[in-house]
Amino acid sequence: MKKPNLKEIGMRIREQREQLRYTREQLAEKLDVSSKFISDIELGVKGVSLKTLVNLSTILDMNVKQNASVV
C-alpha cells in the first residue's frame, strides 16, 4: 500500500481552507481541535485519524479517495 504524502495532503487542505475563507482558528473550532494542530496538518508535520479526516473533509467539502489522498 502506498504511504500517504502528508505534505501534499496538508497543502490541499490549506488551499481548500483558504478558498472557503476560513482561518486556521475557525477551522480548528469547527473541528474541535487546536489551531496548532491545523497548522501541523497543513505543514505535513502530523497526520490525522480516519475520524478526523472524515470530519475535515465534510467541513471543507472535500472528497477522501481510497488511495489515501485528499482532493
Side-chain angles (χ1 to χ4, degrees):
M1 180 188 290
K2 185 178 174 184
K3 186 176 178 182
N5 183 332
L6 296 180
K7 288 188 185 252
E8 183 179 333
I9 292 169
M11 179 188 67
R12 291 178 182 186
I13 289 170
R14 180 180 178 187
E15 288 172 355
Q16 182 68 6
R17 174 183 60 79
E18 290 175 344
Q19 186 174 353
L20 294 173
R21 299 177 191 250
Y22 287 141
T23 64
R24 284 187 178 134
E25 291 77 17
Q26 289 169 324
L27 181 57
E29 187 175 318
K30 288 179 177 292
L31 199 55
D32 197 26
V33 297
S34 71
S35 58
K36 170 72 169 119
F37 184 63
I38 298 297
S39 177
D40 287 347
I41 292 169
E42 291 181 351
L43 294 173
V45 174
K46 292 190 177 186
V48 297
S49 69
L50 181 57
K51 179 181 176 182
T52 301
L53 184 59
V54 169
N55 290 339
L56 188 57
S57 67
T58 300
I59 292 167
L60 295 178
D61 193 29
M62 299 174 80
N63 294 320
V64 180
K65 293 185 176 180
Q66 283 185 327
N67 67 2
S69 65
V70 179
V71 178

